[in-house]
């Protein structure tokens, strides 16, 4: 009896490792797609904003949800959409980005408060959190690495004041500080390197 119990724990740990590896591979692939197709990614994120806003309107009209949750969600989607003005340039120190991060936590607080006071099935709670709270921030999280590989053009972020596009591009550090650089670091440190040795 104890052996099977121990075996379930070993299997659970292995399953968590496999799911984590699959999630990391999926995130890496999505980040690569966003870097490759930034214009299409911006359009998809724009449509995600409209979809989530329509879901919030549907919750206001057809469901008995608290207005603090739904109206705050609509305001949050509006604030998130301000980051699309300079997409794929997402400045982490900008007031819009900081406000968006704060609104993510505030939305979660109100959603947890609402679902702890009013009972709903777990599938409905998970659907609300997945579509209304996580979809748009997750899309921006994956697209943070798109800023690293954008070639310099005349169009720059609104807050940037550089005279020459080429000199401002080369004066910046070439260090990648994004999701892909984290995955590359993990890949290099965890996976063994293959050397071509012939004997």
């Amino acid at each position: 009896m104890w052996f099977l119990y121990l075996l379930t724990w070993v299997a659970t740990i292995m399953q968590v490792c496999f799911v984590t590896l699959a999630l990391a591979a999926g995130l890496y692939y999505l980040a690569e797609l966003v870097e490759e197709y930034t214009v299409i990614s911006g359009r998809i994120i724009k449509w995600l904003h409209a979809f989530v806003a329509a879901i919030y309107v549907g919750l206001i009209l057809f469901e008995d949800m608290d207005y603090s949750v739904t109206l705050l969600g609509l305001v949050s989607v509006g604030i998130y959409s301000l980051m699309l003005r300079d997409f794929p340039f997402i400045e982490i120190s900008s007031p819009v980005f900081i406000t968006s991060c704060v609104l993510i936590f505030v939305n979660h607080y109100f959603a947890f408060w609402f679902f702890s006071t009013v009972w709903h099935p777990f599938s409905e709670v998970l659907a609300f959190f997945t579509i209304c709270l996580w979809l748009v921030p997750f899309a921006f999280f994956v697209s943070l690495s798109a800023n690293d590989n954008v070639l310099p053009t005349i169009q720059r972020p609104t807050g940037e004041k550089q005279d020459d596009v080429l000199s401002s591009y080369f004066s910046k550090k070439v260090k990648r500080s994004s999701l892909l650089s984290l995955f590359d670091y993990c890949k290099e440190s965890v996976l063994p390197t293959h050397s071509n040795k012939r004997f």
Side-chain angles (χ1 to χ4, degrees):
M1 178 126 166
W2 64 269
F3 186 72
L4 191 58
Y5 179 74
L6 182 67
L7 190 63
T8 58
W9 276 103
V10 170
T12 303
I13 291 171
M14 289 175 63
Q15 290 168 358
V16 166
C17 290
F18 289 145
V19 166
T20 304
L21 184 64
L23 185 65
L27 279 175
Y28 187 80
Y29 181 69
L30 283 176
E32 286 285 340
L33 283 177
V34 168
E35 280 187 2
E36 187 70 27
Y37 305 104
T38 55
V39 175
I40 295 172
S41 301
R43 288 182 188 146
I44 290 172
I45 294 173
K46 184 177 171 182
W47 282 104
L48 284 177
H49 280 91
F51 173 69
V52 172
I55 295 294
Y56 275 120
V57 170
L59 289 173
I60 291 171
L61 295 177
F62 305 120
E63 291 296 324
D64 202 15
M65 290 193 75
D66 192 56
Y67 285 124
S68 62
V69 176
T70 53
L71 292 178
L72 181 66
L74 275 173
V75 169
S76 298
V77 169
I79 298 294
Y80 298 155
S81 66
L82 293 177
M83 286 193 293
L84 284 175
R85 289 184 300 179
D86 297 327
F87 189 82
F89 302 105
I90 297 175
E91 191 67 38
I92 295 178
S93 61
S94 71
V96 174
F97 183 80
I98 294 170
T99 306
S100 298
C101 291
V102 169
L103 281 174
I104 290 171
F105 290 107
V106 172
N107 274 331
H108 278 78
Y109 174 77
F110 277 102
F112 281 125
W113 168 79
F114 174 74
F115 287 114
S116 66
T117 57
V118 178
W119 184 85
H120 284 275
F122 180 71
S123 60
E124 293 178 6
V125 175
L126 189 62
F128 177 80
F129 273 82
T130 302
I131 294 174
C132 295
L133 296 183
W134 297 338
L135 190 61
V136 172
F138 180 74
F140 278 118
F141 174 71
V142 169
S143 66
L144 280 176
S145 62
N147 190 13
D148 292 342
N149 293 330
V150 174
L151 293 175
T153 59
I154 300 300
Q155 179 184 6
R156 286 171 290 210
T158 55
E160 187 177 334
K161 297 189 190 265
Q162 299 285 341
D163 293 332
D164 185 6
V165 176
L166 191 60
S167 64
S168 69
Y169 179 73
F170 285 117
S171 66
K172 292 182 181 178
K173 291 183 179 178
V174 186
K175 181 181 174 187
R176 287 176 62 174
S177 60
S178 65
L179 182 65
L180 286 180
S181 63
L182 175 69
F183 286 143
D184 287 337
Y185 172 75
C186 292
K187 181 178 74 173
E188 291 171 3
S189 64
V190 174
L191 297 176
T193 57
H194 181 58
S195 61
N196 293 330
K197 293 182 180 178
R198 295 181 184 223
F199 296 102

